[in-house]
C-alpha cells in the first residue's frame, strides 16, 4: 500500500473499506478523510485480533 505521508494521517493514500473484523477505535485525525462509516485510514487502524478484510476505498 502506498504511503505518501509516511503514516502520519495526512495523505489519504491508505484509505480502506473494512469488510469484516475488529479494529482499534476511530481516531479524530482520520475523520476528515472518510466518506463512509466503514472506511478507515490503514496507517491509523490497528488490528484487535482475528481476521480483518479490507479493500482500497474509491479515490484512495
Ligand atoms: S499513509 Fe498517509 S494517510 Fe495513511
Amino acid at each position: 500500500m502506498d504511503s505518501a505521508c509516511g503514516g502520519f494521517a495526512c495523505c489519504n493514500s491508505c484509505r480502506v473499506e473494512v469488510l469484516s473484523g475488529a479494529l482499534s477505535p476511530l481516531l479524530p485525525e482520520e475523520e476528515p478523510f472518510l466518506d463512509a462509516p466503514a472506511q478507515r485510514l490503514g496507517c491509523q487502524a490497528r488490528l484487535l485480533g482475528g481476521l480483518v478484510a479490507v479493500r482500497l476505498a474509491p479515490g484512495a
Side-chain angles (χ1 to χ4, degrees):
M1 181 178 294
D2 288 337
S3 174
C5 74
F8 288 98
C10 57
C11 73
N12 195 30
S13 62
C14 67
R15 186 165 42 109
V16 296
E17 292 179 357
V18 181
L19 304 176
S20 66
L23 297 175
S24 57
L26 181 70
L27 299 175
E29 305 91 292
E30 298 177 73
E31 292 179 8
F33 297 103
L34 308 180
D35 295 333
Q39 292 183 353
R40 296 293 305 272
L41 293 184
C43 68
Q44 302 301 305
R46 298 291 173 252
L47 302 177
L48 294 180
L51 179 64
V52 175
V54 299
R55 65 180 171 205
L56 281 176

